Amino acid sequence: MKCRVCQHEISPFMTFGRMPIANGFLTADKFDGEYFFELKPAFCDRCFTFQIEDQPEPELMFHDQYAFFSRTSAFMQRHFQAYGNWVRETFLDDSESFVVELGSNDGIMLEHFAGHGISHLGVEPSANVAEEARRHGVNTMVEFFGPQIAQHIVAEYGQADALMAANVMCHIPDINGIAQGASTLLKPRGVFIFEDPYLGAMIDKTTYDQIYDEHVFIFSALSVSNIFAPHGFELIDLLPQETHGGSMRYVLARTGQRQVSANVARIIAEEKSAGLDQSGTYDRFRADCEASKTRLVNLLRAEKEAHRRVVGYGATSKSTTILNYCQIGPDLIEFISDTTPIKQGKYSPGMHIPVKPYEAFTENYPDTALLFAWNHKTEIMEKESRFASSGGKWITHIGTE
Ligand code: TYD
Ligand code: ZN
């Protein structure tokens, strides 16, 4: 395969096997026609970009039945409010500002610009979540962002002061098209700010469940810097985030236009000492994934032998990788509870574990809960203290937790 960024010839360093669409929660009548592809990650030793080889067509993942709504977590609501405020205070200097967000989902961040009367536009391909954003007063167009859409936006609204994204850039295979679009869209001193799950955190904790169809890339500062340099952008700041189990916020500006924070050199040096630019690191990661799989499957088999009920907590997209890679089905996990109505009453992709409303968990506690929404651990532990105090046990696929 060719690197999606720099066209260098690369090959996958492992396979997670046959995978369905991670957010493809389905009813039983759809089992027969379920879509599968092989999930194979690769690392480019020229531009240092971590990527997956095959990705299903975007229309199979982002559509008018897209199951992921950002607003489901109270912690994430606060996070996006803080993100929006930070962008406003740091980069926007007057009420004339115009901001654009890619993959604005249900408007969870842009509403904090709309609320301040700032001209804004969300570009969101999934019609159902875009409709929810409009209900919150957020100006939204249903489109996939790219160079042409950037031109349309400039023609209609003028150039933007800030282009933002959160947990979106890692979804877009044509990253060069996005960089080109950013170049068209942004004013000379405009900034492109995005955050995504961070490769450094994933390698460190073996949280391989960040790898699934939607996440075609897992970025590092090293790779982002290499991706954007040919398009005339440089990193001017890097801000680690706790969201999604360890994310990075990347701030880019046109080269030479803005002061570069000392964070940039510091974090790039840390990435080099962690070996994020070395192929050997990914061979070790493969071995860590295999060990993690063995540990989790043994843990669940032991629970079953002891006649203990195990349920999953949070029907996350990430759980699709864990369940299918480890081949864990309803024989080991009775059901998965989730607060998202569109997922309830359906089955998990590939392994077909029933997804039930949150109340199925609280009304009849299992012996053990497998925390698939481990990235929301703090929020969930606070909310669920009664489960642990009544003897319930929490487990995750992460060995150290
Ligand atoms: P999220 O962790 O954001 O992840 P992913 O990107 O892997 O899909 O999704 C959280 C899922 O967990 C979402 O379906 C809602 C559910 N959830 C609960 O059921 N209860 C909770 O308390 C929280 C925080 C999330
Ligand atoms: Zn490359």
Side-chain angles (χ1 to χ4, degrees):
M1 68 176 281
K2 294 231 186 303
C3 169
R4 294 172 185 275
V5 174
C6 75
Q7 310 306 317
H8 185 48
E9 193 62 43
I10 58 173
S11 52
F13 62 85
M14 71 179 289
T15 177
F16 287 101
R18 210 171 80 111
M19 282 289 154
I21 301 290
N23 253 314
F25 296 89
L26 70 179
T27 46
D29 60 309
K30 301 270 165 50
F31 288 173
D32 274 351
E34 195 171 7
Y35 177 90
F36 288 92
F37 71 106
E38 192 179 350
L39 183 63
K40 286 176 289 186
F43 168 72
C44 177
D45 60 5
R46 186 159 78 187
C47 71
F48 310 141
T49 304
F50 186 104
Q51 54 202 283
I52 60 172
E53 184 177 57
D54 299 319
Q55 193 189 31
E57 290 299 312
E59 290 75 14
L60 285 170
M61 300 182 286
F62 311 110
H63 42 61
D64 61 0
Q65 293 293 312
Y66 187 53
F68 186 83
F69 286 78
S70 297
R71 265 171 228 279
T72 27
S73 153
F75 177 86
M76 291 307 282
Q77 297 222 18
R78 287 197 294 277
H79 174 77
F80 284 116
Q81 179 167 18
Y83 185 174
N85 288 345
W86 176 81
V87 171
R88 261 196 3 256
E89 286 158 15
T90 316
F91 299 107
L92 305 186
D93 29 41
D94 55 40
S95 55
E96 302 294 287
S97 299
F98 172 49
V99 298
V100 176
E101 186 183 357
L102 311 186
S104 42
N105 199 277
D106 52 18
I108 190 168
M109 177 150 74
L110 279 182
E111 70 179 357
H112 302 292
F113 294 85
H116 284 80
I118 294 171
S119 168
H120 64 276
L121 175 66
V123 186
E124 168 55 57
S126 298
N128 61 333
V129 289
E131 191 47 47
E132 181 69 16
R134 290 188 184 127
R135 272 198 286 277
H136 285 85
V138 172
N139 183 27
T140 309
M141 72 195 297
V142 179
E143 283 290 356
F144 286 96
F145 184 78
Q148 280 204 326
I149 295 296
Q151 278 175 9
H152 290 308
I153 298 172
V154 173
E156 194 173 337
Y157 299 84
Q159 281 186 309
D161 296 271
L163 175 61
M164 305 174 295
N167 308 310
V168 166
M169 289 294 288
C170 70
H171 293 70
I172 307 176
D174 181 17
I175 188 109
N176 287 308
I178 299 289
Q180 221 182 310
S183 186
T184 303
L185 181 67
L186 287 170
K187 290 180 181 169
R189 276 176 54 81
V191 284
F192 187 5
I193 308 163
F194 63 90
E195 55 185 46
D196 279 293
Y198 180 50
L199 183 67
M202 183 183 89
I203 297 293
D204 184 42
K205 296 191 283 187
T206 319
T207 44
Y208 66 85
D209 51 333
Q210 288 295 1
I211 306 167
Y212 55 89
D213 54 2
E214 295 179 20
H215 290 177
V216 65
F217 300 115
I218 310 284
F219 296 121
S220 61
L222 283 162
S223 63
V224 167
S225 164
N226 288 333
I227 293 166
F228 283 89
H231 299 277
F233 288 100
E234 66 179 348
L235 278 170
I236 60 161
D237 209 352
L238 290 166
L239 298 123
Q241 307 290 316
E242 281 179 20
T243 48
H244 288 286
S247 295
M248 185 64 80
R249 182 177 299 169
Y250 305 92
V251 188
L252 295 143
R254 289 186 212 273
T255 308
Q257 282 289 334
R258 285 183 179 262
Q259 201 183 339
V260 178
S261 153
N263 293 342
V264 175
R266 180 177 55 80
I267 290 177
I268 288 202
E270 283 170 14
E271 291 187 352
K272 287 186 177 161
S273 66
L276 297 189
D277 55 350
Q278 301 293 322
S279 305
T281 303
Y282 303 93
D283 292 327
R284 278 196 298 281
F285 175 69
R286 178 184 60 224
D288 291 344
C289 291
E290 285 161 6
S292 168
K293 171 181 180 170
T294 305
R295 172 188 163 276
L296 181 63
V297 170
N298 288 343
L299 203 63
L300 293 174
R301 287 201 184 128
E303 293 287 305
K304 189 181 163 102
E305 269 163 36
H307 302 290
R308 292 167 54 83
R309 290 179 57 225
V310 181
V311 309
Y313 192 103
T316 56
S317 334
K318 295 184 289 291
S319 69
T320 297
T321 297
I322 301 177
L323 295 169
N324 288 274
Y325 173 53
C326 300
Q327 289 290 296
I328 296 165
D331 54 324
L332 293 175
I333 295 181
E334 196 178 304
F335 64 85
I336 305 172
S337 79
D338 197 283
T339 52
T340 317
I342 197 172
K343 297 181 185 176
Q344 298 164 357
K346 292 190 177 153
Y347 293 85
S348 77
M351 297 308 296
H352 304 159
I353 299 172
V355 180
K356 298 197 173 174
Y358 173 55
E359 293 67 33
F361 170 77
T362 47
E363 283 165 10
N364 182 14
Y365 279 151
D367 299 297
T368 299
L370 173 47
L371 183 60
F372 287 126
W374 57 271
N375 47 311
H376 301 287
K377 189 173 176 184
T378 313
E379 176 174 352
I380 292 171
M381 290 306 120
E382 261 172 41
K383 195 163 67 177
E384 305 298 354
S385 57
R386 203 168 63 84
F387 172 60
S389 65
S390 59
K393 182 168 90 175
W394 286 105
I395 58 172
T396 69
H397 73 304
I398 308 166
T400 52
E401 300 222 337

